[in-house]
Amino acid sequence: MKFFYMYKLHRIGFRGFIYNWFKSYLSGRRQAVKIGDKLSNSAHITLGVPQGSVLGPIFFLVYINSIFQQNFKRRVTAFADDLAISYSSPTMFDLICDINNDSEVLRNWFSKHKLQISEKSKLMFFNFMSSTPPDVELVYHDPCCSKFTMFCLNKTYVSNNSCHPNCFVIETVPEFKYLGLWVDCKLNWSVHTNVLKSYFRCVVRKFHYLSQICTPQILRMFYFGIFHSKLSFGICCWGGSYLNKLKPLLTLQKCMVRKIYNATRRSSSFPLFTRKNNSPNYRVTGSYSLRRTDLLYVPPFRTTSFMNSYSIVSRRLLNRIPRHVKDTNAQFFSRSLS
């Protein structure tokens, strides 16, 4: 691992003392396994990245970055350790050949980098006309496996059986959860909206009991934490689906808002959405999100001398003054805050 990392770091431009620092950081690492009161002997770490460190994710990105430079047939996208390849071909046979070609590229890359593909990998065919996916069996072969061939049998594309214990069949699915979004083969987002609807119904049921013991300010915090965050996640992708799929979500959102302000079921929800709350509102002051609008922006500092300077200390002291004291001297503090 150390020498392979050093080669990659050298290729991307690390030189001199920083290169030697990374070399010493990756050298001489050992680990042991503890089960109960038993501790195994320590062994040298030859693969992987240091766990629980700030540099761990950075090393991982450096390690896998070369996968995007491979000769893939189609477009490759990735987020952290989740990788997806999208295909588009005029015929099904060309599509399967492209997939098998990229599987061979992945197999060689994983073998070179001492990695193993996850058996949770899925295959999805996007088709807006047909409701049944094509009958295709795609086998991912282990690097230790021999070459395989593709042949057509009764209009069904079949590969030979896996010849290694680590070979597995990539399952063909009609929908799949990718990066928190349920993507279906027709891209109508019916599965994702149904999952959200089931989750929101459970939240509304629990929110009904919370509304009897909590104040509106606390209920708003729960709403933005467990409801609005789920509703707004990825909405730029699924928010343009059909109205009949979005309307149940809007109904549940209105129900949540009525619970916050203890309104009846028949009352209009529009005034509740635009209603101003007496609780501290969130506002961006400078480059920070502060809970109070009367707080001064404190710029970041890296040295002790700048931290003890007048521009920093005065702002921090003014922010510590209680609000009721500022309200009694509103005219003075209005000039100070300006």
Side-chain angles (χ1 to χ4, degrees):
M1 180 200 71
K2 179 186 70 173
F3 300 104
F4 203 16
Y5 261 126
M6 292 298 101
Y7 170 75
K8 285 180 173 289
L9 291 175
H10 190 273
R11 286 289 301 270
I12 63 178
F14 283 88
R15 302 290 191 276
F17 75 92
I18 189 66
Y19 177 84
N20 296 328
W21 186 86
F22 278 123
K23 184 177 181 180
S24 64
Y25 177 77
L26 296 172
S27 302
R29 290 189 169 270
R30 305 176 66 90
Q31 72 176 11
V33 179
K34 183 177 182 180
I35 302 178
D37 297 332
K38 304 296 182 179
L39 182 65
S40 67
N41 298 327
S42 61
H44 285 284
I45 301 177
T46 58
L47 294 174
V49 297
Q51 301 294 317
S53 63
V54 178
L55 293 177
I58 299 177
F59 277 130
F60 177 77
L61 295 179
V62 172
Y63 193 69
I64 69 170
N65 188 55
S66 62
I67 195 173
F68 302 101
Q69 303 172 0
Q70 306 305 308
N71 188 22
F72 289 104
K73 290 289 186 180
R74 290 297 183 265
R75 182 180 179 182
V76 181
T77 56
F79 180 82
D81 60 342
D82 290 325
L83 184 140
I85 309 177
S86 55
Y87 299 89
S88 177
S89 299
T91 62
M92 182 60 65
F93 188 80
D94 294 336
L95 181 66
I96 299 302
C97 290
D98 291 343
I99 295 177
N100 281 282
N101 176 82
D102 291 348
S103 299
E104 178 71 13
V105 175
L106 286 174
R107 177 168 65 170
N108 295 332
W109 187 89
F110 275 101
S111 176
K112 181 180 179 181
H113 289 75
K114 306 298 182 182
L115 296 175
Q116 187 175 0
I117 192 172
S118 174
E119 295 187 4
K120 297 185 295 184
S121 302
K122 305 297 180 181
L123 177 65
M124 182 184 299
F125 292 94
F126 296 96
N127 193 338
F128 303 104
M129 303 298 294
S130 176
S131 58
T132 58
D135 187 11
V136 175
E137 185 185 75
L138 182 65
V139 180
Y140 180 84
H141 293 262
D142 190 80
C144 299
C145 178
S146 60
K147 299 292 183 179
F148 60 94
T149 57
M150 180 68 64
F151 58 93
C152 182
L153 179 63
N154 296 329
K155 297 183 179 181
T156 302
Y157 302 97
V158 183
S159 61
N160 64 327
N161 294 328
S162 58
C163 54
H164 192 272
N166 292 333
C167 298
F168 63 93
V169 178
I170 299 179
E171 182 185 3
T172 303
V173 294
E175 66 269 346
F176 184 70
K177 187 178 182 180
Y178 182 67
L179 299 179
L181 297 177
W182 281 94
V183 184
D184 55 275
C185 59
K186 292 185 176 297
L187 291 179
N188 56 14
W189 301 104
S190 59
V191 178
H192 185 73
T193 52
N194 289 334
V195 171
L196 286 180
K197 184 170 60 176
S198 301
Y199 171 78
F200 289 155
R201 284 177 176 174
C202 181
V203 171
V204 170
R205 191 180 306 111
K206 297 178 180 178
F207 203 76
H208 171 72
Y209 298 102
L210 287 176
S211 62
Q212 301 175 6
I213 58 176
C214 296
T215 62
Q217 290 80 5
I218 297 179
L219 293 176
R220 288 181 74 253
M221 293 175 57
F222 277 109
Y223 166 78
F224 284 104
I226 64 178
F227 190 97
H228 189 269
S229 59
K230 278 274 190 179
L231 184 65
S232 59
F233 179 76
I235 197 171
C236 59
C237 299
W238 60 270
S241 56
Y242 293 106
L243 185 61
N244 61 340
K245 297 180 176 61
L246 300 178
K247 191 174 181 180
L249 304 180
L250 181 61
T251 303
L252 293 171
Q253 185 186 27
K254 292 180 179 179
C255 181
M256 289 284 291
V257 176
R258 291 190 179 100
K259 293 292 183 182
I260 293 176
Y261 297 105
N262 196 21
T264 60
R265 295 179 57 184
R266 297 184 178 275
S267 59
S268 177
S269 61
F270 180 78
L272 302 179
F273 279 103
T274 58
R275 181 176 177 179
K276 294 183 179 180
N277 199 325
N278 294 327
S279 61
N281 48 1
Y282 294 81
R283 175 185 171 187
V284 177
T285 304
S287 60
Y288 288 80
S289 297
L290 304 177
R291 292 171 181 253
R292 291 172 52 181
T293 59
D294 58 342
L295 295 181
L296 290 178
Y297 168 66
V298 179
F301 48 86
R302 296 183 179 179
T303 61
T304 306
S305 59
F306 187 55
M307 179 185 66
N308 297 327
S309 63
Y310 172 79
S311 59
I312 298 295
V313 175
S314 59
R315 294 168 182 262
R316 295 171 65 182
L317 290 177
L318 282 174
N319 290 337
R320 292 180 182 179
I321 297 177
R323 176 175 293 180
H324 68 275
V325 177
K326 292 183 180 181
D327 293 337
T328 56
N329 300 274
Q331 184 177 3
F332 169 75
F333 284 106
S334 64
R335 291 198 301 266
S336 300
L337 295 175
S338 61

